[in-house]
């Protein structure tokens, strides 16, 4: 397991400036978890049908904690992931778990899944979180999965274009993240996945929304006591193990069986 998070974005000024953070982003905040959580148990829960003509995994909404909740909002089994969009361990979980989580659990109506993007790796993490936030709520989790599936490609420009990216972050507040994302290739990446370049530019120029994202993300560390990504919370209880094997076992113990 990698070292836990040492700090989070401490203020909206710090988040928007982003110059104090290295562009060659460290990955120390990513972890793989410890022991499986065995204390959550419940009786089997009956399936709940989605509204006519709809599928639970294609229904989503934003939450008051800055997350994106997929599935039945009244599901008795609620799984929350705190993940960083630049975290390899989160990417590995996504690639292994996304399909069975949605098909075998969320689509039954027994389980809802909420993703909360923890901005811990500076300007790239913040830009990616804003771009995932830029589409509809239904797009957010699939876009996050696409980021994780292509993480090495997304990270590569940070090594190749460091000076240009740093120069972008010195631009005025309403320009810096637009220029940063364009230089990093993010506008083209998201345009190929349903968020147009113009739409992305508008979102990234909104310094107020970027501040809100940074402020909410900070509370994941200060209020929710999240110390590494990915971290999973099931019905209000933090799980010790972040592997899909352990998460699936916990869902079944909680009644998704």
């Amino acid at each position: 397991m990698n070292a836990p998070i040492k700090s989070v974005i401490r203020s909206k000024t710090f988040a928007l400036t982003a110059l104090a953070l290295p562009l060659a982003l460290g990955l120390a905040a990513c972890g793989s978890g410890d022991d499986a959580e065995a204390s959550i148990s419940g009786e089997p829960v009956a399936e709940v049908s989605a509204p006519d003509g709809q599928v639970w995994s294609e229904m989503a909404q934003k939450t008051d904690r800055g997350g994106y909740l997929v599935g039945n909002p009244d599901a008795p089994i609620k799984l929350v992931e705190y993940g960083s969009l630049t975290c390899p361990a989160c990417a590995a979980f996504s690639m292994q778990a996304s399909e069975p989580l949605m098909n075998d659990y969320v689509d039954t109506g027994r389980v809802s899944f909420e993703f909360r993007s923890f901005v811990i790796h500076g300007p790239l993490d913040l830009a990616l979180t804003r771009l995932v936030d830029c589409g509809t709520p239904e797009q957010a989790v699939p876009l996050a999965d696409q980021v994780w599936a292509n993480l090495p490609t997304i990270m590569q420009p940070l090594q190749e274009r460091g000076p240009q990216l740093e120069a972008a972050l010195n631009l005025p507040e309403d320009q810096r993240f637009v220029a940063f994302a364009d230089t990093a290739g993010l506008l083209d990446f998201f345009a190929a996945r349903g968020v147009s370049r113009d739409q992305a530019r508008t979102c990234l120029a909104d310094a107020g929304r970027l501040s809100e994202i940074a402020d909410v993300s900070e509370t994941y560390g200060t209020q929710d006591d999240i110390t590494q990504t990915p971290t999973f919370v099931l019905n209000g209880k933090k799980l010790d193990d972040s592997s899909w094997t352990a998460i699936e076992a916990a869902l079944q113990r909680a009644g998704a069986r």
Side-chain angles (χ1 to χ4, degrees):
M1 181 178 65
N2 295 329
I5 293 171
K6 294 181 180 178
S7 63
V8 296
I9 302 296
R10 293 181 180 84
S11 71
K12 60 187 177 184
T13 301
F14 184 77
L16 289 173
T17 303
L19 294 173
L21 293 175
L23 288 173
L25 301 177
L27 300 175
C30 299
S32 58
D34 292 313
D35 299 324
E37 176 61 60
S39 62
I40 297 174
S41 62
E43 295 299 318
V45 174
E47 293 192 18
V48 180
S49 298
D52 288 347
Q54 300 187 67
V55 178
W56 282 124
S57 60
E58 296 176 358
M59 301 172 64
Q61 59 187 267
K62 291 186 178 181
T63 73
D64 59 4
R65 292 305 318 281
Y68 310 92
L69 186 147
V70 181
N72 176 9
D74 299 319
I77 303 171
K78 302 180 187 301
L79 180 67
V80 178
E81 176 186 1
Y82 295 84
S84 162
L85 291 169
T86 55
C87 167
C90 302
F93 181 87
S94 169
M95 287 184 279
Q96 182 180 20
S98 180
E99 185 173 334
L101 173 60
M102 293 299 162
N103 293 346
D104 300 339
Y105 295 95
V106 172
D107 276 343
T108 68
R110 297 167 170 147
V111 177
S112 66
F113 172 70
E114 180 181 348
F115 169 60
R116 297 177 182 176
S117 183
F118 200 170
V119 179
I120 54 178
H121 288 146
L124 180 61
D125 228 341
L126 184 55
L128 287 169
T129 299
R130 180 61 179 122
L131 287 167
V132 165
D133 177 70
C134 192
T136 65
E138 291 78 14
Q139 287 177 292
V141 170
L143 282 172
D145 286 334
Q146 282 292 302
V147 169
W148 283 319
N150 294 277
L151 192 55
T153 300
I154 288 173
M155 296 293 288
Q156 188 173 352
L158 271 75
Q159 309 299 326
E160 299 175 346
R161 305 170 195 166
Q164 299 96 311
L165 292 167
E166 196 161 344
L169 293 173
N170 278 307
L171 293 172
E173 193 173 76
D174 63 345
Q175 300 175 31
R176 64 183 60 152
F177 277 93
V178 176
F180 178 90
D182 199 7
T183 302
L186 300 182
L187 299 188
D188 288 339
F189 180 88
F190 279 85
R193 291 160 176 83
V195 179
S196 72
R197 289 177 62 89
D198 287 345
Q199 183 182 359
R201 286 177 178 274
T202 298
C203 288
L204 291 164
D206 187 346
R209 179 58 183 149
L210 287 163
S211 287
E212 290 174 4
I213 290 171
D215 287 344
V216 171
S217 179
E218 184 178 4
T219 69
Y220 300 158
T222 58
Q223 295 181 19
D224 301 350
D225 194 30
I226 303 303
T227 58
Q228 66 180 25
T229 57
T231 292
F232 294 89
V233 175
L234 181 59
N235 285 354
K237 187 172 184 62
K238 191 187 299 184
L239 303 180
D240 293 325
D241 194 317
S242 61
S243 69
W244 170 238
T245 299
I247 299 302
E248 183 173 32
L251 291 172
Q252 293 187 3
R253 287 194 300 272
R257 60 187 189 276

